[in-house]
Amino acid sequence: MASIIIMVGRQEWDFWPLGRRTTIIGRDEALLVQILDDLVSRKHLKIRYNEDTNTYYASEMHSRNGVFINNEKIAGEHMLTDGDVISIGGTALLFAKEDFDNRESALAHYKKAGERIRMTLYQPNSPP
């Protein structure tokens, strides 16, 4: 299974296991993964699991500010790989191809990933 860890944003260091289902991420309080960020749409990002290939795919849900993976704006569906950074609004999510037992193990992975990744978020109102 896989998880997402918030790397930048109001909920920094929160994590969610994705399971083997489709997960909608956004500002809407009814969603399993709610992001508290005014620049995030109510339904901003969809992460879909494909059981046949054991892979996860991200797609933008017609949000105002778009979805960026590793600082590249995506259009359509994008296959996720371990360590991808997904930026939505002013929030950055780390995609991890593993599931974590608890917050401490997720934070250990986040810190390890932080050694490899230098975060820069695309700001929608500034040039890329």
Side-chain angles (χ1 to χ4, degrees), residues 16-45:
W16 289 273
L18 293 173
R20 298 178 186 271
R21 64 183 174 275
T22 297
T23 301
I24 306 298
I25 299 171
R27 204 178 68 243
D28 192 318
E29 63 187 36
L31 298 175
L32 176 66
V33 181
Q34 180 190 25
I35 303 296
L36 304 174
D37 180 338
D38 291 340
L39 297 175
V40 171
S41 297
R42 286 180 305 205
K43 292 182 180 175
H44 199 112
L45 167 69

Side-chain angles (χ1 to χ4, degrees), residues 74-88:
I74 66 167
E77 204 168 53
H78 180 89
M79 186 174 75
L80 293 170
T81 59
D82 190 50
D84 280 346
V85 176
I86 306 167
S87 300
I88 58 174

Side-chain angles (χ1 to χ4, degrees), residues 57-76:
Y57 294 89
S59 57
E60 191 264 338
M61 297 187 69
H62 309 290
S63 65
R64 174 182 279 173
N65 295 316
V67 173
F68 296 79
I69 298 179
N70 302 324
N71 290 326
E72 298 281 332
K73 189 169 185 173
I74 66 167

Side-chain angles (χ1 to χ4, degrees), residues 45-63:
L45 167 69
K46 176 170 68 172
I47 297 181
R48 179 182 67 83
Y49 175 71
N50 182 317
E51 193 169 320
D52 295 335
T53 59
N54 192 34
T55 52
Y56 290 83
Y57 294 89
S59 57
E60 191 264 338
M61 297 187 69
H62 309 290
S63 65

